[in-house]
Amino acid sequence: MKVNIIYWSGTGNTQMMSEAVAEGAEGAGAQVSVIPVAAADSSSVDADVVALGCPAMGAESLEDGEFEPWYASIKPRLAGKRVALFGSYDWGDGEWMRNWQADVESAGGVMVADGLTVNNTPDDSGLEACRALGADCAK
């Protein structure tokens, strides 16, 4: 099972989450690649499962400088693909994650689980939830 984790992180919170997702997937036996979106291209979604991480920005939207343009470019390739979503936020109620999940599903992506959100810096329970999401990706 190959799991590619592609993320954008401005403060390091979503990077911490991506590393914990990777730990969970590796612990469950998956071959894992963790890729900052700046190093990602369209082939980065060539895996059994793609886990995408991006924090809430502005008015609860995806980061629009790097992540959102890359995501828009690969969205057509998500049809039939198993996808996991995660990210941190500092305000709001997680609307960006619900919108993002609906967008993935409308593109034909198959959600591994509901999108995972963590408020600000992930604490131990947040990191454990990330590891559990990674383990789910490896199933």
Side-chain angles (χ1 to χ4, degrees), residues 71 75-80 102-109:
Y71 168 70
K75 188 166 70 167
R77 299 190 65 203
L78 297 180
D103 193 54
V104 166
E105 290 170 335
S106 72

Side-chain angles (χ1 to χ4, degrees), residues 2 7-9 26 30-31 34 36 41-42 52 55-56 66-67 69 78 84-85 87-88 99 101 106 109 115:
K2 182 172 171 64
Y7 73 94
W8 184 90
S9 186
E26 288 171 343
Q31 174 190 351
V34 180
D41 59 27
S42 62
L52 305 175
E66 286 183 278
F67 192 87
L78 297 180
L85 303 176
S88 65
N99 292 343
Q101 181 170 330
S106 72

Side-chain angles (χ1 to χ4, degrees), residues 35-100:
I35 308 164
V37 76
D41 59 27
S42 62
S43 70
S44 299
V45 298
D46 294 340
D48 299 301
V49 178
V50 177
L52 305 175
C54 185
M57 302 294 288
E60 289 210 60
S61 60
L62 296 174
E63 189 278 329
D64 65 0
E66 286 183 278
F67 192 87
E68 197 284 326
W70 176 82
Y71 168 70
S73 77
I74 59 92
K75 188 166 70 167
R77 299 190 65 203
L78 297 180
K81 176 87 53 189
R82 292 182 63 221
V83 179
L85 303 176
F86 62 93
S88 65
Y89 68 99
D90 186 21
W91 62 88
D93 69 354
E95 179 183 4
W96 107 100
M97 184 59 72
R98 292 189 299 275
N99 292 343
W100 190 13

Side-chain angles (χ1 to χ4, degrees), residues 7 9 18 27-28 33 41 47 53 58 60 86 102 104 107 115-117 120 125 128:
Y7 73 94
S9 186
S18 69
S33 294
D41 59 27
E60 289 210 60
F86 62 93
V104 166
L116 174 63
T117 61
N120 290 312
S125 66
E128 189 52 41

